[in-house]
């Protein structure tokens, strides 16, 4: 007995019973798996997966059963925008506002996660964790000199099934003229104000650590 599985335009064949026993009772169970690469299916499309079982009778393969299932491939949120204001400001002083607008998806509700790229290490650092809020506010470290003090901000938008898409915006953040002692005092004071908010505390640590590196 052979089973043939098909997905899209690809056909996979496997010999399910390499050595058929002399007697098969009605309780015998054999498994057949179809593994498809994650990049095979296109988001927003539908695919029909079919399994057909054939029996070799003489020199001919005869279909004895088949089954099919149709699956819909989830699409990530789309059509939205992401904007940050002001377009320029002073590091560790000015507050930048980030807003994600007009994102659409059939699998609601949507969630939003805000981050920024560290100008010194390029690591993704948190601004606001995944939540239903489509906006965030934060101070930022000095931008990278080689990119005209640009700091890249990122929003990742998730639907209820975890499909997601990310988009970026950039602002100019210039260095704050201050002493190391003043920066340390500002860091301590800011953390004290945020001590009751764990997420804000983590975000501030990320900003100040990036500024000090």
């Amino acid at each position: 007995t052979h089973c043939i599985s098909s997905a899209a335009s690809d056909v996979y064949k496997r010999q399910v019973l390499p050595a058929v026993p002399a007697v098969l009772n009605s309780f015998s169970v054999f498994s057949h798996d179809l593994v498809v690469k994650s990049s095979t299916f296109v988001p927003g499309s539908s695919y029909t997966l079919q399994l057909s079982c054939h029996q070799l009778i003489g020199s001919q393969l005869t279909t004895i059963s088949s089954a099919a299932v149709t699956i819909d491939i989830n699409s990530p949120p789309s059509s939205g925008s992401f904007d940050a204001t002001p377009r320029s400001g002073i590091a560790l002083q000015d507050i930048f506002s980030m807003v994600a607008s007009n994102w659409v998806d059939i699998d609601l509700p949507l969630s939003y996660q805000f981050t920024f790229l560290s100008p010194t290490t390029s690591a993704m650092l948190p601004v606001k964790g995944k939540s239903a809020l489509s906006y965030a506010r934060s101070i930022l470290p000095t931008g990278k000199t080689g990119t005209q003090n640009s700091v890249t901000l990122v929003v990742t938008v998730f639907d209820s099934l975890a499909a997601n898409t990310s988009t970026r915006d950039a602002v100019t953040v210039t260095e704050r003229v201050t002493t190391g002692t003043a920066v340390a005092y500002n860091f301590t004071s800011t953390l004290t104000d945020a001590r009751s908010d764990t997420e804000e505390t983590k975000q501030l640590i990320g900003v100040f650590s990036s500024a000090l590196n």
Side-chain angles (χ1 to χ4, degrees):
T1 302
H2 290 71
C3 285
I4 300 176
S5 301
S6 62
S9 60
D10 300 318
V11 177
Y12 304 83
K13 295 184 179 181
R14 293 186 185 179
Q15 179 74 37
V16 179
L17 303 178
V20 180
V23 178
L24 291 177
N25 61 52
S26 60
F27 299 102
S28 297
V29 177
F30 301 93
S31 64
H32 182 75
D33 299 323
L34 172 66
V35 180
V36 182
K37 292 183 179 179
S38 59
S39 59
T40 300
F41 298 136
V42 178
S45 301
S46 295
Y47 294 86
T48 297
L49 306 180
Q50 180 173 310
L51 173 67
S52 298
C53 291
H54 306 268
Q55 184 174 6
L56 184 62
I57 301 177
S59 60
Q60 299 293 322
L61 278 177
T62 301
T63 301
I64 57 175
S65 65
S66 65
V69 60
T70 298
I71 59 173
D72 298 320
I73 307 303
N74 189 23
S75 295
S78 62
S79 305
S81 62
F82 176 48
D83 299 290
T85 55
R87 303 306 300 169
S88 62
I90 306 298
L92 308 181
Q93 175 178 302
D94 293 334
I95 296 177
F96 291 83
S97 297
M98 293 149 260
V99 180
S101 306
N102 302 319
W103 290 90
V104 296
D105 194 283
I106 61 173
D107 299 308
L108 301 175
L110 299 182
S111 300
Y112 306 83
Q113 177 178 287
F114 295 88
T115 54
F116 73 95
L117 292 180
S118 169
T120 55
T121 66
S122 296
M124 197 77 76
L125 298 177
V127 171
K128 189 173 188 62
K130 185 178 176 183
S131 75
L133 297 179
S134 61
Y135 58 88
R137 301 171 74 242
S138 178
I139 57 175
L140 293 170
T142 304
K144 193 172 183 178
T145 304
T147 59
Q148 299 181 328
N149 297 114
S150 176
V151 175
T152 300
L153 307 172
V154 182
V155 64
T156 303
V157 187
F158 301 82
D159 68 13
S160 61
L161 300 178
N164 64 86
T165 187
S166 296
T167 188
R168 303 182 176 196
D169 195 12
V171 293
T172 300
V173 187
T174 54
E175 185 175 4
R176 179 183 181 183
V177 180
T178 186
T179 65
T181 301
V183 170
Y185 174 79
N186 188 25
F187 175 53
T188 303
S189 177
T190 306
L191 280 184
T192 300
D193 293 339
R195 63 184 182 275
S196 62
D197 189 325
T198 302
E199 183 175 304
E200 185 177 357
T201 299
K202 289 193 296 183
Q203 177 257 322
L204 290 171
I205 291 174
V207 170
F208 276 94
S209 65
S210 180
L212 294 173
N213 284 336

